[in-house]
Amino acid sequence: MITLDFSDLFAFSLLIIIFFLSLFIHLKNEKIRVLRKELERLRILNKELETQTKLIIKTDLELRETQEELDKKILMLSTLQKISHLITTTLDEREILRRLRPSLIKNLGVDKVLIILDKFIFPEENIENRELLLTLKRLNENFEKTSYFEGPHEQKDPFLEETQNQILKNSKISHFLVLPLNTSRERIGIIFFGWKNPFKEIDETQKEVLQLFSSQLSQAIENARLFEEVYHAQRELELKVKERTHELEEALEKLEKISKMKSDFVSAVSHELRGLLTPIKGYTSLLINGSFGTLPVQATERLKRIDKHTDSLIDMINKLLDIARIESGREEILINKNNLTELIKNTAELFLPQIKEKGLNLEVNVPQDLYAQFDPKQIERVLVNLVGNAIKFTPQGGKITIEAKELDKEVEVSVKDTGVGISPEDKEKIFDEFYRTKASINSEIQGSGLGLSLVKRIIQVHGGKIGVESELGKGSRFFFTLKK
């Protein structure tokens, strides 16, 4: 049996106490170490959170500033679009400037705007400082077309340095920008922008917006000035046209009077001449026929020449009388719907003896029962003249073709030959009175030069057109139109 005394028990108890105390201290120290580690972790985490918080706050401030700048830029762009619409929907220069309301200009992010043009300034009222205005006027007079002027900056040009000092001295602004107003032809002025805030510089975006505004304003003013120039030019042209029309009306009236006087004179003289030629023709015929006795052969030949020339003069006088009557409206012309085919064929038959005698070929190509609006008597005269000329100017063995065809609202009749043709210079005058072509064969053919002039007037009275296609040595084609 083991026995323990008190001292042993006390020592044992003390050992146990020491053991548990050591264990407690160890556990406490371990817990303190863990807590310190956790505290350090929390301190680091708190520091990171603090850093993140500062970053978030900074980012938020930057975003707000960016949003504010973006809002300002959007406002500037929308304002620029609104201004563009306002100034491009009028062509009055003063109205363009009146539409630049202060509220709109302020939305461009500027505190002050002055527009100095070669004709006037804007705004015309409320100019705070006359000295500033005079400075800007001097600047306008010496401003280069492609430059811009910004201040305050160091200026190398003494004039610009002095101008900058005057602007800053005579205005309540801290910095400014001056842009040119240019048209496609010239510089018409400058536009001055001013800012009061000394801590706000002009950024590139705002500068670009203001340059766009300057460009649009220049274009709008140029359009207005061009319109004004065109309007005044049109007014002057209208006045000149009106004056010229009046002059032409007076000239036409005088020409009509002269034409009437000419027609009356030609008619009177022609009547007198025909009256004088009639007895000459009568006595000549009686002498040739031997009514007053037999004449020598030479006398008879000369009388025949007189008789021939008398016939030519009478024919010329008759044509002159016809032209005068048509021009004066005294010739009765009855235009109705008639058979053109029948008229052409009947007229062609009249020339068959001459065609056969000269050894020519005649071809008639016309549709069956072709109708048109015309006076048969007058159109027959037209055909007689054209076919007669074709026979005169076509050498033996040649061909003459008469054709007619329907067009859209007209009928075209043509007389074509294989004769000597007409030169380009003759074609321009072939329908003039008394004009005769200079072709070699023409010198052997007698004529008055009135036949085609008469033909032209008859066709004009019918409301048709007449013309000629020809080439020297290859024949001619005369054509005219009649209404259906």
Side-chain angles (χ1 to χ4, degrees):
M1 180 177 184
I2 299 171
T3 59
L4 297 172
D5 56 13
F6 180 78
S7 59
D8 291 334
L9 183 61
F10 177 78
F12 179 73
S13 299
L14 184 60
L15 287 173
I16 292 173
I17 291 170
I18 291 170
F19 173 75
F20 280 105
L21 183 61
S22 298
L23 181 62
F24 174 76
I25 292 170
H26 175 74
L27 290 175
K28 185 176 180 181
N29 289 337
E30 184 65 22
K31 187 174 182 180
I32 289 172
R33 187 183 66 80
V34 171
L35 287 174
R36 284 178 177 175
K37 186 176 180 181
E38 182 66 18
L39 181 62
E40 182 64 23
R41 189 182 69 81
L42 289 174
R43 188 182 293 113
I44 293 172
L45 181 62
N46 183 60
K47 190 174 182 180
E48 289 178 355
L49 286 174
E50 184 179 355
T51 302
Q52 291 292 328
T53 302
K54 289 179 179 179
L55 182 62
I56 290 171
I57 293 171
K58 181 181 178 182
T59 304
D60 182 61
L61 290 173
E62 289 176 351
L63 285 173
R64 286 186 182 182
E65 289 179 359
T66 303
Q67 184 64 44
E68 287 177 2
E69 291 296 320
L70 184 61
D71 290 342
K72 288 179 181 179
K73 289 174 182 177
I74 292 173
L75 178 61
M76 283 192 294
L77 290 173
S78 63
T79 301
L80 183 63
Q81 182 182 16
K82 188 179 294 184
I83 290 174
S84 176
H85 174 73
L86 287 173
I87 65 178
T88 55
T89 52
T90 179
L91 290 171
D92 182 281
E93 188 171 350
R94 290 186 178 274
E95 178 60 24
I96 289 172
L97 297 177
R98 279 194 291 268
R99 291 185 178 188
L100 298 176
R101 299 190 299 271
S103 58
L104 285 175
I105 300 297
K106 187 176 181 180
N107 287 339
L108 290 176
V110 296
D111 299 317
K112 190 176 188 62
V113 174
L114 278 174
I115 300 172
I116 312 297
L117 295 173
D118 47 9
K119 294 183 178 180
F120 43 81
I121 62 170
F122 174 83
E124 295 177 309
E125 66 281 344
N126 299 327
I127 301 297
E128 298 175 3
N129 194 309
R130 295 291 167 181
E131 290 298 324
L132 174 62
L133 180 60
L134 292 175
T135 302
L136 292 176
K137 283 185 175 181
R138 285 195 298 271
L139 177 62
N140 180 42
E141 293 170 358
N142 297 274
F143 203 77
E144 294 182 8
K145 184 176 180 180
T146 57
S147 65
Y148 71 92
F149 180 34
E150 184 178 355
H153 288 301
E154 184 180 350
Q155 305 294 337
K156 296 181 181 180
D157 187 333
F159 170 74
L160 293 180
E161 182 68 31
E162 175 64 21
T163 301
Q164 176 176 267
N165 293 336
Q166 289 294 324
I167 289 173
L168 296 174
K169 176 183 177 182
N170 297 319
S171 64
K172 297 178 181 179
I173 60 172
S174 61
H175 51 283
F176 63 86
L177 176 67
V178 180
L179 297 174
L181 293 172
N182 299 326
T183 68
S184 58
R185 299 178 292 181
E186 58 184 347
R187 186 180 60 79
I188 58 173
I190 58 174
I191 182 166
F192 170 83
F193 301 99
W195 288 266
K196 296 179 180 179
N197 187 351
F199 304 106
K200 177 118 175 84
E201 293 290 337
I202 312 170
D203 58 39
E204 289 302 317
T205 301
Q206 187 175 30
K207 191 180 292 185
E208 288 177 6
V209 169
L210 295 178
Q211 286 173 335
L212 282 173
F213 169 64
S214 171
S215 176
Q216 290 180 354
L217 180 59
S218 300
Q219 186 63 54
I221 293 174
E222 181 179 22
N223 291 341
R225 292 187 178 183
L226 287 174
F227 173 77
E228 187 176 359
E229 289 176 11
V230 170
Y231 175 77
H232 287 304
Q234 183 179 358
R235 292 285 296 173
E236 289 178 6
L237 182 61
E238 287 176 355
L239 289 174
K240 288 180 180 178
V241 168
K242 191 174 181 180
E243 291 174 2
R244 186 60 179 158
T245 302
H246 182 66
E247 291 173 1
L248 290 173
E249 287 174 350
E250 289 183 344
L252 181 61
E253 188 177 347
K254 290 178 182 178
L255 188 62
E256 288 175 349
K257 288 180 180 179
I258 293 171
S259 179
K260 186 177 184 305
M261 290 172 64
K262 184 204 77 171
S263 298
D264 292 343
F265 173 76
V266 169
S267 181
V269 171
S270 299
H271 276 294
E272 292 295 326
L273 288 174
R274 189 165 64 175
L276 294 172
L277 286 172
T278 300
I280 293 174
K281 171 72 175 173
Y283 283 120
T284 305
S285 298
L286 289 174
L287 287 169
I288 293 171
N289 293 332
S291 299
F292 299 103
T294 304
L295 298 175
V297 176
Q298 290 182 346
T300 302
E301 290 297 325
R302 285 177 172 81
L303 285 170
K304 285 182 179 180
R305 289 182 184 178
I306 292 172
D307 187 61
K308 184 179 179 182
H309 288 302
T310 303
D311 288 339
S312 297
L313 282 172
I314 291 173
D315 179 65
M316 182 188 296
I317 290 168
N318 287 334
K319 286 179 178 176
L320 281 171
L321 284 170
D322 290 337
I323 291 173
R325 280 196 295 268
I326 290 173
E327 286 182 342
S328 63
R330 295 196 302 270
E331 179 77 8
E332 186 179 11
I333 297 179
L334 301 174
I335 300 175
N336 294 300
K337 193 170 185 179
N338 292 290
N339 192 321
L340 186 59
T341 301
E342 184 179 331
L343 178 66
I344 292 172
K345 289 182 177 180
N346 291 340
T347 305
E349 288 179 4
L350 296 175
F351 289 96
L352 289 179
Q354 296 180 45
I355 295 288
K356 186 176 181 182
E357 182 182 353
K358 198 169 181 181
L360 302 175
N361 295 314
L362 177 64
E363 184 178 333
V364 180
N365 298 322
V366 292
Q368 187 69 27
D369 294 328
L370 179 61
Y371 283 84
Q373 299 287 336
F374 63 91
D375 182 327
K377 178 183 173 183
Q378 300 298 333
I379 298 304
E380 183 181 15
R381 294 173 75 179
V382 171
L383 289 169
V384 166
N385 270 281
L386 296 181
V387 177
N389 282 345
I391 293 172
K392 287 180 186 179
F393 294 99
T394 304
Q396 187 176 2
K399 181 180 179 180
I400 297 173
T401 305
I402 305 174
E403 292 182 329
K405 61 181 179 181
E406 290 189 75
L407 302 178
D408 185 20
K409 296 181 180 180
E410 296 175 318
V411 172
E412 182 185 87
V413 181
S414 65
V415 178
K416 183 180 180 183
D417 63 61
T418 58
V420 294
I422 305 170
S423 66
E425 57 268 22
D426 285 334
K427 280 199 298 184
E428 299 295 325
K429 304 175 182 178
I430 196 73
F431 294 102
D432 294 348
E433 293 175 5
F434 299 108
Y435 185 80
R436 300 178 73 238
T437 63
K438 300 176 179 63
S440 59
I441 193 174
N442 193 35
S443 61
E444 304 169 6
I445 299 172
Q446 300 297 320
S448 62
L450 290 170
L452 289 177
S453 179
L454 176 62
V455 165
K456 180 180 179 181
R457 281 164 174 76
I458 292 173
I459 296 302
Q460 285 176 336
V461 170
H462 279 75
K465 295 173 289 185
I466 187 166
V468 61
E469 298 169 351
S470 184
E471 188 176 343
L472 278 176
K474 295 186 179 180
S476 305
R477 176 180 175 268
F478 285 86
F479 60 90
F480 63 89
T481 61
L482 298 171
K483 294 180 180 178
K484 286 186 179 180

